[in-house]
Amino acid sequence: MDCLFCKIVEGSIPSRKVYEDEYVYAFEDIQPQAPVHLLVVPKKHIASLNEAAPEDAELLGRVALAAQRVAREAGLGDSGYRVINNVGKDAGQVVFHIHFHVLGGEKLGPLNAKN
Ligand code: AMP
Ligand code: ZN
């Protein structure tokens, strides 16, 4: 599969891993947009939320809980953080393997949909 995040999950492209289990992989974003910027992905290839199916419900829950976990481990549990999932071209999705950004470590700007 010619997918950047599948290659990161399988280890053929290096990453700075912060968490891994049977279903989920999390790593540091290479171009951080905040003092903490992590990416959380399912190991299964799903191109975007648009392609997720009912049978992915449990897996997506695992990804959400892994986001909570890596945020807490990065020290953001009390200060808070933002979890972002870009879907498709108008949202600026660049990598078509579903991923949740975890951003924090500073007061984030308002989420005004335009940026
Ligand atoms: P998106 O725009 O939502 O598709 O986000 C893709 C994210 O992947 C961006 O924040 C990039 O900085 C990040 N990214 C791209 N290549 C890598 C890489 N090799 N390792 C870690 N993060 C990456
Ligand atoms: Zn993939």
Side-chain angles (χ1 to χ4, degrees):
M1 166 83 64
D2 191 22
C3 166
L4 176 63
F5 288 174
C6 281
K7 288 176 180 162
I8 283 179
V9 166
E10 76 189 23
S12 60
I13 288 178
S15 66
R16 295 174 64 126
K17 176 172 81 173
V18 295
Y19 176 71
E20 179 176 17
D21 64 26
E22 190 181 344
Y23 304 98
V24 178
Y25 191 87
F27 55 103
E28 294 179 2
D29 196 291
I30 205 168
Q31 209 171 56
Q33 304 298 314
V36 176
H37 187 171
L38 307 172
L39 299 173
V40 187
V41 308
K43 289 186 170 179
K44 175 187 174 185
H45 181 86
I46 300 171
S48 83
L49 190 59
N50 252 349
E51 283 74 31
E55 61 264 29
D56 297 317
E58 183 184 338
L59 179 60
L60 293 173
R62 290 181 185 278
V63 173
L65 290 172
Q68 177 208 70
R69 178 183 181 130
V70 298
R72 189 174 59 239
E73 288 175 356
L76 306 180
D78 292 331
S79 54
Y81 51 94
R82 185 170 288 155
V83 179
I84 294 176
N85 173 236
N86 291 320
V87 183
K89 66 175 163 43
D90 277 3
Q93 185 179 0
V94 171
V95 180
F96 281 82
H97 179 130
I98 191 170
H99 52 279
F100 289 78
H101 299 256
V102 175
L103 294 154
E106 66 184 6
K107 179 81 176 157
L108 300 166
L111 187 61
N112 60 15
K114 298 242 181 248
N115 256 339

